[in-house]
Amino acid sequence: MDIKHFHRAESLEEAYQLLTENPKNIIIGGGIWLKMSKPSVDTLIDLSELNLDQVIDRGDFIEIGAMVTLRDYEIHESIRAFGDGFLSQGISKIYGVGFRNVATVGGTVAGRYPFSDLITPLLSLKAKLIFYPKLEMTLEEYLNTKTKMNHILTHIIIEKEKGKGYFYKVARTSTEFATLNVAVFNNFNEIRIVVGSRPAGPVLLHEAMEYLNKQKEVTDEVLDKTVQLMLDNTKFGSNYQASIQYRQQLAQTYVKRGIKEVLTK
Amino acid sequence: MKITLKLNGHPRLFEITPNEYLLDTLRKNNMTSVKNGCDASSCGACSVLIDGKPMLSCSVLSARADGCEVTTVEGIQKEVDHISDFFGDEGADQCGFCNSGLALTIYALQKDLKNPTDEEIKNYVVGNLCRCSGYQAQFIAIKRYLEDQK
């Protein structure tokens, strides 16, 4: 890894100026994957002095600074309370606390890591990203943006909805990436379903959700049809962890379990 | 570039390169209790406390730690000796390579969580891998240590 300069930004304006003046300048999040990505960097821009490390409950929504660590996110009272704790539970299964004290929410989201156990449950919520300079988009829009952005992610906003959530990471140990992860959230008006680590990144199952949310009662037949719509409209793949067939089987099982779970009181 | 760390309670100046990790800075300066295991954020052998929180020093750039308080086992020797007693009693030690990182994480756990459940203990230390002893004896030793600290 080649890094010529390290710069602790004193303002977002300064960070943005540095970021846009040279394509070899990059923002550092937690820095966990920096070593593995072996970048050639001119200036590494650090945001750790810009007060972006707070989780703030604003009443109607929760504001999460991009530099909040996974551990601080996991143990925050409002995050723990959300959806019966499914956001915290997902994070608590990522490596050990020494890892979660380094990795950041912003670094994970900005990196669009397909295996992320943070992004999958977040995507099942009404989550919005705030960038500098002035730009907002939903998390889903951002994940679908394929081009490199020169904006700086500063906050993630989660609308506070009452409801019940479910998250499951399929992995043999905590120190490996998810073979598949599933999040389901029921806000008592509609159910949202997300499947991630397919091994491609997390996606909302729009067709399956549309069908499911029109049903008056969730029977076994309805669950079968829901997961069939998932299979018909969602791409799964094979990699060193699992085959496409195995992932499809896992997804059917855990999506059904998730729906059942969020429907129980 | 130069950084200042409050290392085990004492301010110290270090000359580093921008791509240097804290693990390497510490080991270069004779803090060899901080072990280089996987060097890929996976094993926990390099754990240190940064401003009181356990972190993987192989994944923290030294430049980013500038101005922080860094604690290794040398900085909390008395507490580490106490933790080691429980490990010895339970036969939870073999080669000892993972001990420094694990002891620091257990020390932080004890400060961080009040009356943790078994699940919370496991989630806290799961990133500190041990290739010799198996985890059951370690888990019992940790529980006995936490009980003793009440």
Side-chain angles (χ1 to χ4, degrees), chain B:
Chain B
M1 64 187 287
K2 287 185 170 61
I3 60 162
T4 305
L5 303 178
K6 193 172 180 186
L7 181 60
N8 295 327
H10 305 288
R12 283 185 60 180
L13 193 66
F14 295 92
E15 182 73 39
I16 60 157
T17 58
N19 63 348
E20 189 170 318
Y21 281 86
L22 186 58
L23 167 65
D24 303 311
T25 304
L26 293 171
R27 287 187 62 82
K28 260 188 344 196
N29 287 277
N30 302 319
M31 304 303 293
T32 50
S33 69
V34 187
K35 302 300 183 195
N36 187 348
C38 67
D39 204 19
S41 319
S42 295
C43 77
C46 66
S47 300
V48 297
L49 304 183
I50 300 180
D51 292 338
K53 293 179 176 181
M55 295 194 199
L56 305 175
S57 64
C58 76
S59 301
V60 176
L61 282 168
S62 300
R64 189 167 241 181
D66 188 17
C68 292
E69 191 165 339
V70 176
T71 306
T72 66
V73 286
E74 289 85 350
I76 51 164
Q77 193 58 57
K78 201 173 154 194
E79 291 86 347
V80 170
D81 284 348
H82 193 48
I83 293 167
S84 299
D85 288 342
F86 288 94
F87 270 61
D89 288 349
E90 296 299 331
D93 268 340
Q94 278 190 34
C95 83
F97 192 80
C98 67
N99 279 16
S100 309
L102 181 59
L104 284 162
T105 305
I106 294 166
Y107 174 76
L109 185 163
Q110 188 265 325
K111 300 268 179 212
D112 209 5
L113 304 180
K114 301 296 167 215
N115 301 314
T117 62
D118 289 1
E119 184 74 5
E120 284 172 327
I121 294 171
K122 287 175 184 172
N123 281 344
Y124 206 97
V125 301
V126 72
N128 290 84
L129 305 185
C130 172
R131 285 289 173 258
C132 307
S133 62
Y135 296 104
Q136 192 54 30
Q138 288 187 349
F139 181 63
I140 294 166
I142 293 168
K143 285 191 73 165
R144 283 194 55 215
Y145 165 71
L146 294 176
E147 196 60 39
D148 179 74
Q149 294 298 298
K150 282 181 184 170

Side-chain angles (χ1 to χ4, degrees), chain A residues 117-164:
Chain A
D117 298 324
L118 172 82
I119 298 174
T120 297
L122 266 184
L123 189 58
S124 71
L125 305 176
K126 290 182 179 170
K128 185 170 71 175
L129 310 185
I130 311 293
F131 296 86
Y132 180 91
K134 214 169 167 53
L135 179 70
E136 290 184 15
M137 63 176 76
T138 65
L139 175 58
E140 188 179 22
E141 285 168 342
Y142 177 71
L143 295 175
N144 290 332
T145 305
K146 303 297 177 203
T147 52
K148 185 177 179 261
M149 287 175 59
N150 264 344
H151 286 67
I152 300 170
L153 177 64
T154 62
H155 295 90
I156 293 105
I157 307 286
I158 309 174
E159 189 179 314
K160 277 176 83 177
E161 298 175 276
K162 284 199 172 122
K164 186 164 183 180

Side-chain angles (χ1 to χ4, degrees), chain A residues 1 3-4 6 8 28-30 32 34-36 44 46 67 71-72 92-93 95-102 174, chain B residues 1 18-19 21 39-42 53-56 58-61 63-64 66 105 112-113 119-120 123-124 126-127:
Chain A
M1 184 185 56
I3 300 169
K4 288 196 179 73
F6 179 92
R8 198 171 269 183
I28 179 175
I32 286 275
L34 195 64
K35 194 181 282 182
M36 271 72 95
L44 198 58
D46 178 24
M67 295 302 288
R71 176 65 178 164
D72 285 343
S92 73
K93 303 291 179 196
Y95 285 80
V97 78
F99 181 99
R100 304 199 295 276
N101 273 329
V102 178
S174 294
Chain B
M1 64 187 287
N19 63 348
Y21 281 86
D39 204 19
S41 319
S42 295
K53 293 179 176 181
M55 295 194 199
L56 305 175
C58 76
S59 301
V60 176
L61 282 168
R64 189 167 241 181
D66 188 17
T105 305
D112 209 5
L113 304 180
E119 184 74 5
E120 284 172 327
N123 281 344
Y124 206 97
V126 72

